[in-house]
Amino acid sequence: MAAARRFDRAAAAPAALLLLSFGGLAAAGVEDQAEQFFRSGHTNNWAVLVCTSRFWFNYRHVANTLSVYRSVKRLGIPDSHIVLMLADDMACNPRNPKPATVFSHKNMELNVYGDDVEVDYRSYEVTVENFLRVLTGRIPPSTPRSKRLLSDDRSNILIYMTGHGGNGFLKFQDSEEITNIELADAFEQMWQKRRYNELLFIIDTCQGASMYERFYSPNIMALASSQVGEDSLSHQPDPAIGVHLMDRYTFYVLEFLEEINPDSQTNMNDLFQVCPKSLCVSTPGHRTDLFQRDPKNVLITDFFGSVRKVEITTETISLQRDSGIMESSHEEGQRDEELMEPLKYAEQLPVAQIIHQKPKLKDWHPPGGFILGLWALIIMVFFKTYGIKHMKFIF
Amino acid sequence: MPAVHGGERRWEAEAAPGMAAARPLALLVLLVLGPGGWGFADPPRDSLREELVITPLPSGDVAATFQFRTRWDSELQREGVSHYRLFPKALGQLISKYSLRELHLSFTQGFWRTRYWGPPFLQAPSGAELWVWFQDTVTDVDKSWKELSNVLSGIFCASLNFIDSTNTVIPTASFKPLGLANDTDHYFLRYAVLPREVVCTENLTPWKKLLPCSSKAGLSVLLKADRLFHTSYHSQAVHIRPVCRNAHCTSISWELRQTLSVVFDAFITGQGKKDWSLFRMFSRTLTEPCPLASESRVYVDITSYNQDNETLEVNPLPTTTYQDVILGTRKTYAVYDLHDTAIINNSRNLNLQLKWKKPPENGYIHYQPAQDRLQPHLLEMLIQLPANSVTKVSIQFERALLKWTEYTPDPNHGFYVSPSVLSALVPSMVAAKPVDWEESPLFNSLFPVSDGSNYFVRLYTEPLLVNLPTPDFSMPYNVICLTCTVVAVCYGSFYNLLTRTFRIEEPSTGGLAKRLANLIRRARGVPPL
């Protein structure tokens, strides 16, 4: 592992040079070292999954996001490392004939909502501002941890977005939009602040490729469901639920991901082949020019799974029951009894007390700057016009 | 090295949402016990009681109320606590950090219909409700309130961060502390409601994780989201308050109550039948009590055991019952104690079943809907009326427009609906003997009497006079006038334009009248015609 780290620090050097130098050596350990060099140098994984559409007929966008959420969780990324943003609630929507479920296929086999879902940003909280704040880390200090993207320079981040989009923009909740330039700038901020090691950006909207064409930060790989000028189409409707359940691109991506397990060696080239034009009708696109490594060396689990460096130890640890703690706390309990007087519960509706209580006066605050300034101005004007000698009439 | 006596304790160190860094591994901890043997020498500092109350409601629905109560004998404010056992660490840290005295947070979807379901144990408003009493050591209550709502929004995956000064109030009279209180300065109380808040699985998941047995054992195995949200009313709440530790009330314990109330709809879930069982409601049965709980009980309300000529049958039969005055009325509950091995022993699981048994005499309904201009509605019902009660039968109807020729010359008088007929068999106070029609007076032989315990009577209601919407009968005349005018003006003009020919006419040289007129004109000096 340390070897991989060292090589990664010199990631600026082209891979070809080192490969040549390796060709000279004939040691058996070279293969391992070479393999480790082409492995990513990340130590933790994060995922930011965003569904930007509101209203019941956009059920499929929530299903898209939840499918990716499910795959990512299944492959090992824990909830604390996933920021899930759903702009509307489909599972408990009054129009959902099967409450607490979101299905991806009309045979209703797979409930992608599951029993263990944690949505971090929901409903009205999914806004462009919150999304950009999550990415760049400029969050108000009182934000809870589950709503923060606490990535560092060794994090691989998966960003998945879906909704309604156009040429150069993505619509948020039918009331605002984010442009591709804003998104590219946000990623640049992340790069400057060393908030990611490598970033995989997947977008499933109409004309999705327009969203990644402005990226200029290194180590970003992007996939989109359709090219500029093309629409991404939905997969199939369900007659019982009454809406389209998923979009085609994400449906086939989900099918592909269901085959992956945490120790799978499938690489990104296979992900690029998912959903050819015959199945998707639109042409999925990808962009790898900003990415340092060759996509065929990038494992799917580098982004969708979670790094788990586990060392199994065979030694046993024995814990001693600390009798000191138990005794002292027991003594305190006894001490408490003597100190306090008997307590009582409050009366829930003391009518007599309520009738006779006086309304609490608001705390008096001295007049603020504006009022003072206004009065000063009035007095100044008065004395300028009439002269200072009139002051004796006031005092 | 002391030997291991008894069992071992193991629990999963699951990261409380939003609190600790991710640790996907499960920790296995072996607690080596001292030579004292199983169990602590001191009494445990915290205890868990879990309870499920199943109440069949008058409308045929069934309400289930779960309560999980953890009591912790600890002075959270004074000592720095580092060891949490049953009391969840996420909430314990909240209490000490924000100096809370009481916290009440609820998430509700639906509305409790008191008229049909009776009074609730604990109702909550639709959406999210949070009210908190802070300790009087807090200097900036508003700041603590804002930070607390943000932290809670992370813990429960809800948009509680939208709570700010625009939706927070300081009630002065309606919310007194529900726990121990020395003085009640309302300055330390804050209350906010978010009616738009949606409740779904993502709120239930962290709520379940706060339970000591999570959803793995005890009553919490019944908490499955796909059943709990398929209900007419779903309310989950967290209540933290200080309570008396003992009868003398000389020291404080912290009580955490997690409550969940759901009402299963007879129509949606029960498919119209009033038979209920735990499996039908929750798609699970109970297999064991939570090993960490000191009490684990299921109560079934059997007060209406023998009402309305329907008997409630509970299966398996309860071993004990509990009677008390609840919410003003005397109620009886069947008690099933999960710690009692006899209950679960037979079939390894407990599937409570409630069946309503009606007596064999059923009602009868005959309904023949109307066909326009062919036949009228006919509704016949056989009802058994309970004694000392009022039964109202009402029918809704809509008014429609008839064809204009079907109206009577005086339509504003209204239309008559024929009176209803009530044929009743009324129990007699005094038994009558069968009469001989030839011997008895005529007024006694109107209706044939089969047995003396009832007498037959036929009553009628008043006829109903319905005002139907009346059209404006002058409209045909208006329409004819307008149409004729338009036709005459337009068509007539066009016709004339198209068919009229113009001829130049020579002016006539004059007649007698003209010559006479010219004479008079010359005489006057006016130019001639």
Side-chain angles (χ1 to χ4, degrees), chain B residues 160-344:
Chain B
L160 296 176
N161 48 318
F162 284 141
I163 292 180
D164 56 11
S165 61
T166 57
N167 47 24
T168 306
V169 289
I170 308 178
T172 54
S174 28
F175 283 89
K176 299 280 182 203
L178 285 173
L180 292 171
N182 272 338
D183 59 3
T184 56
D185 183 0
H186 283 264
Y187 173 67
F188 295 101
L189 167 66
R190 292 290 183 275
Y191 176 92
V193 170
L194 294 173
R196 182 68 169 100
E197 199 60 26
V198 171
V199 190
C200 207
T201 314
E202 66 252 22
N203 307 112
L204 183 65
T205 308
W207 189 94
K208 280 198 288 191
K209 286 190 181 157
L210 295 173
L211 298 172
C213 272
S214 193
S215 47
K216 313 242 187 320
L219 294 177
S220 42
V221 297
L222 300 177
L223 301 174
K224 289 297 159 200
D226 55 340
R227 306 301 302 162
L228 289 178
F229 288 102
H230 205 59
T231 51
S232 322
Y233 177 80
H234 172 107
S235 174
Q236 63 194 57
V238 170
H239 299 279
I240 302 177
R241 60 178 179 170
V243 293
C244 296
R245 200 180 293 192
N246 46 27
H248 306 291
C249 212
T250 46
S251 46
I252 295 180
S253 293
W254 284 92
E255 180 193 77
L256 163 69
R257 274 195 202 222
Q258 289 180 255
T259 64
L260 191 132
S261 302
V262 286
V263 173
F264 291 99
D265 196 306
F267 185 67
I268 296 173
T269 324
Q271 283 112 43
K273 294 196 281 269
K274 279 161 71 172
D275 290 340
W276 292 104
S277 70
L278 281 184
F279 188 77
R280 167 175 276 163
M281 290 193 272
F282 301 106
S283 64
R284 295 281 180 301
T285 53
L286 294 168
T287 47
E288 50 166 350
C290 171
L292 301 169
S294 54
E295 275 180 36
S296 184
R297 293 209 183 117
V298 180
Y299 291 85
V300 181
D301 184 350
I302 50 174
T303 317
S304 46
Y305 195 76
N306 254 317
Q307 267 184 20
D308 309 334
N309 275 345
E310 275 183 324
T311 50
L312 174 65
E313 190 187 84
V314 182
N315 180 22
L317 284 174
T319 43
T320 45
T321 56
Y322 169 72
Q323 261 212 12
D324 206 349
V325 177
I326 311 281
L327 294 169
T329 49
R330 179 157 286 278
K331 294 219 172 128
T332 315
Y333 291 89
V335 183
Y336 297 89
D337 194 343
L338 291 179
H339 282 292
D340 185 4
T341 45
I343 290 187
I344 302 192

Side-chain angles (χ1 to χ4, degrees), chain A residues 360-371:
Chain A
K360 196 163 146 43
L361 291 163
K362 280 185 66 154
D363 297 328
W364 181 79
H365 297 287
F370 177 70
I371 304 288

Side-chain angles (χ1 to χ4, degrees), chain A residues 54 73 76-81 86 88-94 96-101 111 113-127 130 140-147 306-312 316-321 323 325-330 332-350 353-354 357-360 363, chain B residues 1-2 15 17-25 29-34 37 39-43 45 75 78-79 107 109 131 146-147 150-151 153-162 172-182 184-187 196-206 208-209 223-227 229-231 241-246 248-252 284:
Chain A
R54 177 166 277 278
K73 254 179 97 155
I77 303 187
D79 270 311
S80 51
H81 280 224
L86 295 180
D88 202 356
D89 166 59
M90 298 303 167
C92 289
N93 194 309
N96 191 348
K98 295 187 178 357
T101 59
N111 172 18
Y113 195 60
D115 217 10
D116 202 20
V117 61
E118 286 182 19
V119 182
D120 302 303
Y121 286 84
R122 55 184 205 159
S123 193
Y124 297 126
E125 292 174 291
V126 178
T127 57
N130 281 345
S142 51
T143 318
R145 251 182 113 118
S146 58
K147 288 184 169 171
S306 180
V307 174
R308 279 189 283 189
K309 307 259 192 295
V310 173
E311 278 182 26
I312 311 272
T316 49
I317 305 170
S318 58
L319 297 176
Q320 293 287 341
R321 187 168 130 221
S323 49
I325 297 178
M326 298 306 296
E327 278 169 19
S328 63
S329 48
H330 188 60
E332 258 193 47
Q334 291 193 338
R335 241 188 305 130
D336 288 339
E337 288 198 31
E338 291 149 25
L339 286 173
M340 308 189 43
E341 318 143 357
L343 307 151
K344 53 186 185 348
Y345 290 105
E347 214 185 297
Q348 289 302 303
L349 202 61
Q353 192 191 67
I354 291 172
Q357 77 186 3
K358 296 211 178 3
K360 196 163 146 43
D363 297 328
Chain B
M1 194 70 155
M19 275 291 163
R23 266 187 294 177
L25 303 171
V29 178
L30 287 169
L31 199 63
V32 177
L33 301 173
F40 291 109
D42 314 305
R45 304 272 317 268
E75 292 281 336
R78 279 195 235 155
E79 41 189 65
F107 295 101
Q109 166 203 23
W131 59 280
K146 183 87 187 116
E147 285 178 18
N150 276 320
V151 169
S153 88
I155 297 179
F156 289 99
C157 288
S159 319
L160 296 176
N161 48 318
F162 284 141
T172 54
S174 28
F175 283 89
K176 299 280 182 203
L178 285 173
L180 292 171
N182 272 338
T184 56
D185 183 0
H186 283 264
Y187 173 67
R196 182 68 169 100
E197 199 60 26
V198 171
V199 190
C200 207
T201 314
E202 66 252 22
N203 307 112
L204 183 65
T205 308
K208 280 198 288 191
K209 286 190 181 157
L223 301 174
K224 289 297 159 200
D226 55 340
R227 306 301 302 162
F229 288 102
H230 205 59
T231 51
R241 60 178 179 170
V243 293
C244 296
R245 200 180 293 192
N246 46 27
H248 306 291
C249 212
T250 46
S251 46
I252 295 180
R284 295 281 180 301

Side-chain angles (χ1 to χ4, degrees), chain B residues 67-116:
Chain B
Q67 280 205 56
F68 300 90
R69 188 261 219 167
T70 306
R71 203 187 82 174
W72 194 16
D73 301 332
S74 147
E75 292 281 336
L76 267 173
Q77 307 300 321
R78 279 195 235 155
E79 41 189 65
V81 182
S82 56
H83 179 59
Y84 291 89
R85 197 178 75 111
L86 296 179
F87 201 94
K89 179 171 161 190
L91 297 180
Q93 286 182 334
L94 272 185
I95 299 177
S96 25
K97 177 157 187 216
Y98 295 108
S99 303
L100 300 179
R101 190 159 69 177
E102 282 193 20
L103 181 134
H104 303 275
L105 171 62
S106 68
F107 295 101
T108 312
Q109 166 203 23
F111 182 68
W112 181 275
R113 303 184 183 281
T114 312
R115 197 196 299 182
Y116 300 112

